[in-house]
Amino acid sequence: MPLGISRGYEPGRTLLQLPITYIGAAHRARRGDEGSAQLASACEDMASNRPDLAQEKASDARAIFQKRGDLQSISDATRVLMVALADYESRAEALDIGEAHLAELRKTGQRAEEALVLQSLAEVAAFRCRGERRMQAVAWAEEAIGIQKELEDKVFEGYAHLALASALIQKGVKAHQRKHYQKAVKALKAALALFGAVPVPQEDEDTTSFVLARSGEARALHGLASACGRLEDFRTSVNRAREAAAIWQELGFRLEEALELEFLARLQLQLGQFKEGRKSGEEALKIFIGLKISIWQGVTLRTLVKALLRGKKIKEARKLVTRRQALFEEAKDVVGKAAALDATAEVLMAEGQAIEAANLLKEAMKLAKNTQMKDRQLKKYEATMTAEQANFYLQGQKYEEALQTAKSAFHLFEKLQCQVEMATTLSTMVMAHLCLEHPDKALEDTKKAINIYESLNDKKGEGLAWINHCSGLTKMGDFDEAMKVANKARDIFASQKLLIGEGQSLDHLSSLHMTRGDFAKSATCAKRARQIFNEAACFRQEAFMAWAEAEALFGLAQTQAEDFKPDEELPEVCRKAAEAAEEALRLAKEADDELLTMHAMQVVAKTRIMCFRHWEAGPFVEESLEIAQKNNQRMEEASLWLLKAQICICDGEDDKAKENAIKSRDMFEEMGNEQGMEQAREIIDGDYLRQQREQEEMGITAATPMPMMPSESQMYGAGGIGGRTGGPGPGPSPMAPPPAAASAPAAPVAPPKGGPTLQQIEETVQDIAMSLIGSDELQLDSALMDAGLDSLASVEFQNTLTKEFRGVAMPSTLMFDFPTAKEIAQHIKDNFRG
């Protein structure tokens, strides 16, 4: 029976290793040789995911070869035995056997076999071994490369490069440092070149080397897909995985093809390509069913379910897991049943049944005890599934259950000394604390996580922990310290060129600036985050930041253009807010995110009202209201009833306005939102109307109460898209001037001539520089490099200016030719061409 369930699987390990199939084929050809028969059978067991049987047979074969002193066969058996032991979580034993055999080979001078055993040692040590062993894995792989180069064996030299890349990628996984992935990419490209140099055999020639080379090419492409994904270049990652899958299909390697397709499906989900991910997952599942490999059926089933759920195909996902569960039951396949329960839990979460989903994970854990998992494997699986339960509770807003379950998972990981998993579980505890209004405890846990990541030199993890710390500080109202922490996180991510983390940091900075009422800086941070998420191909996050930018610009317009009248030219700041709202709605629809579309339509409606076109706002409000009611978004529904009341006031329908305001007030009261209640009461009590008449008599355009900013936690669950929990919160929302009579739309405004003014350019340059420096103040004539714009940030500064002012040439010596924001702005103005 296969030993795995569906967690902790390592497709990278399988696809980056030197395959042992050629060993099996060579020994199968030796008819009548008992040792070879055993070894060939062991290779078949490994191909069928039976490492327990494989290790017994490889060990027996090795004993037979040792009796007759067949060194090459001993090496073959040793390598197969090492692979089987490593697959069965007996890595220490595998390394001991390999090192002992290496010592023997060094005495006999068997250089070719020495290189292959070195490579096997590197492959075993790269995965799930601690720091010293991972360092040793790199050394072993580099030594193997040197020997193969000396022997002029391009194929095996290429595989030695794969072993090196594998070790480097694993170092990167443990420490999240960009340099390891970059070195891995270099090794993988070297491997590709070596495999590509192997000539196509003629009809009567042996094809073994060529098949190994083509297989190596596919493995190198898989490695590049993995490394590029870690470097957040998801487009390249998908393309490389697709190329690898095509080679596996060409070679007829069904298992490897299926593994690659499952990996491809997950990458496609990362890019938001749900239909493509579903297709890849379905192809992979079909192959795994044919091969009768339960563990991978379970893994692929879960990936496929995620693709269906993200494509809003909940009924199809339910049908799929029900069918697979029945088939596993019929076959009495315990591993399959556990995997199907795991996938079914995902469906239950999509159906809003968090408790039921968590209970299914408990059942899966019980089934795991009836498999052949080793003790440590079983404990790791239990800890992982417990952590998953905690996440389910968190998503289902069962915060107390989430906290207690996460604590249990943390202690399980602590016993196993799984430090990374301990730190990630602390993140779940932090979010639960924040939702339970325990920010002080959240800060305690973020400090623990930061200490763990610092000890591991894990920059990505450290940055994410600082973001969580920022959330806790924001919750406590310590905005100055939260701003410092958000900038610290951003510096960490920027140093590693981790785009997603940098975007998340900017998300927090935008939110914090909004909280302080600094709408211009909020919009600048949101805009930069939007650009970063687009570059990283994270389109849902890009759409979210477009909404954040639109809300910030709307707030800026409220404060800067509150006295303009319907017969006057629409201020530039209002036009920008309206354009940003339209862009946010476009991106939300492209991302196919219903809740985000609802919020984008809200800001579109608000900007239409602000621009004296309230009659155009109505349809957006109505559609948003339907989405809010369907998804039980009570806070947003209350805000939308208030928007409807405002539109009624603009139409002169005071009674209807009061009816809508009463609905809004009652909902705000139910949720304990004082600010919303006060805004609604102004309309219900007629205070707003009286104020409006008084101001009209004085020739002043009155301000209409606008609904509060939507709550990110309502949209995306606790933490929002990057853990954003601060947000604008329930503080005072900006006020918008009401439209004039419905029959008097604002006159079209001619586009400005000559581009932006010098003052506008100076403000933009200043804002971009301040967001990169992390300062709230910057004099126009201050030298930017002296103010804290380092060399790394200056490159980003120049790139951002190039995108902002298209058509203006930015010399590579920009910072030296024009050292201040004022001089840079003048350069842009002098060279602006629109």
Side-chain angles (χ1 to χ4, degrees):
M1 180 184 296
L3 66 97
I5 301 293
S6 66
R7 301 296 177 131
Y9 59 94
E10 298 165 349
R13 174 176 61 81
T14 307
L15 294 182
L16 281 178
Q17 279 185 338
L18 172 60
I20 57 172
T21 48
Y22 80 97
I23 295 176
H27 283 269
R28 197 176 300 112
R30 298 183 187 179
R31 302 188 183 281
D33 186 319
E34 182 185 354
S36 290
Q38 285 279 67
L39 191 56
S41 182
C43 292
E44 290 172 3
D45 286 330
M46 283 303 301
S48 300
N49 197 42
R50 294 192 293 265
D52 50 334
L53 298 178
Q55 70 179 51
E56 291 176 12
K57 293 176 183 177
S59 183
D60 290 344
R62 187 165 177 262
I64 293 170
F65 296 138
Q66 283 175 327
K67 283 182 180 178
R68 64 185 193 217
D70 185 343
L71 286 178
Q72 182 175 342
S73 295
I74 293 170
S75 292
D76 288 345
T78 299
R79 289 175 51 230
V80 174
L81 179 57
M82 289 173 69
V83 171
L85 286 167
D87 210 50
Y88 201 54
E89 295 294 318
S90 298
R91 284 177 168 72
E93 187 179 349
L95 290 172
D96 287 344
I97 290 171
E99 287 184 287
H101 186 56
L102 178 63
E104 293 173 10
L105 289 171
R106 291 193 195 278
K107 293 175 184 176
T108 60
Q110 299 285 321
R111 298 288 279 167
E113 298 306 321
E114 182 183 343
L116 290 173
V117 172
L118 279 166
Q119 181 169 333
S120 292
L121 283 166
E123 290 171 345
V124 173
F127 283 82
R128 294 193 189 171
C129 291
R130 301 200 178 277
E132 290 183 10
R133 282 303 197 182
R134 284 197 298 276
M135 292 295 293
Q136 187 64 53
V138 171
W140 278 327
E142 289 174 336
E143 189 178 351
I145 291 170
I147 295 174
Q148 296 295 5
K149 191 173 290 187
E150 174 191 316
L151 296 173
E152 297 184 348
D153 191 323
K154 293 186 182 299
V155 174
F156 286 117
E157 184 187 345
Y159 275 99
H161 277 286
L162 291 185
L164 175 60
S166 178
L168 289 167
I169 288 173
Q170 286 308 301
K171 283 185 71 176
V173 168
K174 296 299 180 184
H176 288 111
Q177 291 185 40
R178 189 178 183 85
K179 63 182 180 181
H180 299 312
Y181 300 126
Q182 290 173 325
K183 289 179 181 177
V185 168
K186 185 177 179 181
L188 290 161
K189 288 181 177 179
L192 273 177
L194 288 162
F195 294 133
V198 177
V200 179
Q202 300 298 317
E203 287 186 18
D204 57 343
E205 290 182 334
D206 183 17
T207 61
T208 301
S209 290
F210 179 72
V211 171
L212 270 177
R214 284 294 278 166
S215 171
E217 195 175 343
R219 293 170 197 278
L221 288 166
H222 170 82
L224 284 170
S226 178
C228 289
R230 299 286 181 178
L231 290 168
E232 298 182 356
D233 183 359
F234 298 114
R235 293 183 181 92
T236 300
S237 187
V238 164
N239 290 336
R240 295 293 174 264
R242 192 179 284 118
E243 290 176 52
I247 294 176
W248 294 127
Q249 186 180 51
E250 170 203 318
L251 293 173
F253 289 12
R254 299 291 280 166
L255 174 60
E256 287 79 0
E257 180 188 356
L259 290 170
E260 198 70 57
L261 286 168
E262 192 278 331
F263 179 62
L264 174 61
R266 284 184 282 122
L267 291 173
Q268 288 166 328
L269 293 188
Q270 176 69 42
L271 271 179
Q273 298 174 352
F274 308 137
K275 290 181 180 177
E276 295 88 340
R278 175 183 177 177
K279 183 179 178 182
S280 299
E282 286 174 339
E283 290 177 15
L285 183 59
K286 191 183 298 182
I287 295 172
F288 286 129
I289 289 171
L291 295 174
K292 297 180 180 180
I293 302 178
S294 298
I295 178 176
W296 282 104
Q297 287 181 52
V299 170
T300 311
L301 180 62
R302 194 165 185 266
T303 301
L304 183 51
V305 163
K306 283 183 178 291
L308 288 166
L309 295 177
R310 293 184 188 180
K312 301 178 183 177
K313 305 289 185 183
I314 297 178
K315 289 183 179 178
E316 289 184 41
R318 164 63 71 180
K319 185 178 179 181
L320 174 65
V321 294
T322 301
R323 175 62 178 158
R324 295 310 309 165
Q325 182 72 48
L327 290 172
F328 286 133
E329 288 276 3
E330 185 180 332
K332 296 181 180 179
D333 187 333
V334 178
V335 171
K337 284 164 62 179
L341 287 173
D342 194 356
T344 304
E346 293 284 343
V347 179
L348 286 171
M349 282 302 300
E351 294 172 341
Q353 301 181 60
I355 301 294
E356 292 81 354
N359 288 336
L360 280 191
L361 295 186
K362 289 179 184 177
E363 288 185 42
M365 283 190 276
K366 289 179 183 176
L367 286 174
K369 294 176 181 178
N370 296 320
T371 67
Q372 294 181 23
M373 294 175 76
K374 298 190 77 172
D375 184 59
R376 180 176 172 82
Q377 275 186 305
L378 188 59
K379 288 178 179 177
K380 180 71 176 288
Y381 179 73
E382 181 186 1
T384 304
M385 296 296 272
T386 304
E388 186 77 353
Q389 278 182 277
N391 282 320
F392 281 175
Y393 285 133
L394 189 63
Q395 292 174 53
Q397 300 180 23
K398 305 293 182 182
Y399 304 128
E400 192 59 54
E401 292 90 335
L403 180 60
Q404 297 307 319
T405 309
K407 285 181 177 178
S408 297
F410 178 85
H411 292 311
L412 289 170
F413 284 128
E414 190 174 31
K415 289 178 182 177
L416 294 167
Q417 296 183 311
C418 296
Q419 290 183 293
V420 172
E421 289 81 356
M422 287 165 60
T424 54
T425 305
L426 280 168
S427 179
T428 304
M429 292 162 62
V430 167
M431 298 316 304
H433 279 308
L434 291 175
C435 293
L436 289 168
E437 302 295 330
H438 302 153
D440 52 336
K441 293 181 179 177
L443 292 178
E444 289 175 12
D445 284 340
T446 58
K447 288 176 182 175
K448 290 179 186 176
I450 289 165
N451 289 336
I452 292 173
Y453 287 126
E454 285 181 338
S455 71
L456 296 171
N457 199 19
D458 183 339
K459 295 298 182 183
K460 181 178 180 180
E462 184 188 346
L464 291 172
W466 279 118
I467 283 182
N468 281 338
H469 200 69
C470 175
S471 296
L473 290 167
T474 304
K475 197 83 169 178
M476 294 184 78
D478 192 347
F479 302 127
D480 290 340
E481 191 62 29
M483 191 80 73
K484 292 178 185 176
V485 168
N487 276 307
K488 181 182 181 69
R490 188 190 181 192
D491 290 344
I492 291 171
F493 290 124
S495 71
Q496 298 297 313
K497 296 184 180 179
L498 292 166
L499 294 176
I500 296 175
E502 188 179 356
Q504 291 172 342
S505 303
L506 284 163
D507 176 4
H508 276 267
L509 287 168
S510 172
S511 177
L512 287 163
H513 284 307
M514 180 70 81
T515 305
R516 293 169 131 183
D518 195 336
F519 302 117
K521 289 180 181 177
S522 179
T524 299
C525 289
K527 182 176 182 178
R528 179 60 187 138
R530 179 162 67 90
Q531 294 168 341
I532 285 174
F533 283 129
N534 176 270
E535 189 179 342
C538 296
F539 302 117
R540 181 171 168 272
Q541 288 93 329
E542 178 194 4
F544 176 80
M545 294 316 302
W547 164 79
E549 181 187 1
E551 284 284 9
L553 289 173
F554 171 74
L556 185 64
Q558 301 275 51
T559 58
Q560 290 189 1
E562 58 184 356
D563 292 332
F564 82 95
K565 297 178 176 59
D567 57 346
E568 296 176 346
E569 179 179 333
L570 193 67
E572 176 70 15
V573 68
C574 294
R575 276 204 301 274
K576 282 188 175 181
E579 289 169 2
E582 297 289 346
E583 177 69 359
L585 180 57
R586 181 185 71 80
L587 290 172
K589 288 183 174 179
E590 284 184 5
D592 196 23
D593 188 315
E594 190 174 51
L595 293 181
L596 187 50
T597 298
M598 173 188 71
H599 289 292
M601 285 193 291
Q602 278 184 267
V603 74
V604 168
K606 289 192 288 188
T607 54
R608 295 287 174 91
I609 294 171
M610 179 179 66
C611 295
F612 300 100
R613 293 157 60 189
H614 72 276
W615 58 90
E616 295 179 1
F620 292 104
V621 173
E622 292 296 340
E623 191 174 347
S624 295
L625 193 55
E626 287 180 17
I627 297 172
Q629 290 170 336
K630 183 176 78 173
N631 290 279
N632 196 32
Q633 297 288 302
R634 301 283 288 168
M635 188 71 74
E636 309 315 323
E637 185 181 349
S639 296
L640 287 161
W641 282 116
L642 200 56
L643 257 184
K644 283 193 70 171
Q646 185 181 354
I647 293 171
C648 290
I649 290 171
C650 296
D651 284 333
E653 299 176 333
D654 296 351
D655 291 339
K656 279 189 178 180
K658 287 184 178 180
E659 289 177 16
N660 292 330
I662 288 170
K663 290 179 182 177
S664 176
R665 180 204 60 192
D666 292 346
M667 295 182 74
F668 280 130
E669 186 174 11
E670 179 188 325
M671 291 175 285
N673 189 300
E674 290 291 338
Q675 183 221 356
M677 290 165 61
E678 181 58 33
Q679 289 183 336
R681 275 197 296 266
E682 286 184 8
I683 296 175
I684 296 167
D685 297 341
D687 293 343
Y688 163 71
L689 293 172
R690 282 192 296 274
Q691 184 185 29
Q692 183 185 43
R693 291 191 190 99
E694 289 171 4
Q695 291 179 332
E696 284 175 349
E697 288 172 5
M698 296 170 65
I700 300 173
T701 302
T704 304
M706 295 292 281
M708 69 189 69
M709 290 271 294
S711 160
E712 289 85 356
S713 61
Q714 289 284 325
M715 292 172 67
Y716 297 103
I721 287 176
R724 183 180 194 169
T725 55
S733 54
M735 310 294 281
S743 59
V749 180
K753 297 178 181 180
T757 65
L758 178 60
Q759 183 181 353
Q760 289 171 329
I761 295 173
E762 286 176 342
E763 289 175 357
T764 301
V765 173
Q766 202 172 19
D767 283 342
I768 294 170
M770 285 191 296
S771 72
L772 289 168
I773 294 170
S775 172
D776 294 335
E777 293 183 8
L778 176 68
Q779 298 299 317
L780 281 169
D781 54 0
S782 296
L784 295 174
M785 300 293 276
D786 293 342
L789 194 72
D790 59 26
S791 56
L792 183 66
S794 67
V795 175
E796 184 179 346
F797 178 57
Q798 187 167 335
N799 291 339
T800 305
L801 289 175
T802 301
K803 293 176 183 177
E804 184 73 28
F805 301 102
R806 297 187 184 280
V808 179
M810 301 290 177
S812 59
T813 56
L814 179 75
M815 300 304 300
F816 300 98
D817 297 342
F818 310 102
T820 68
K822 190 177 186 67
E823 290 172 286
I824 291 172
Q826 188 62 58
H827 165 73
I828 293 170
K829 179 63 179 174
D830 293 344
N831 294 275
F832 190 83
R833 296 290 181 272

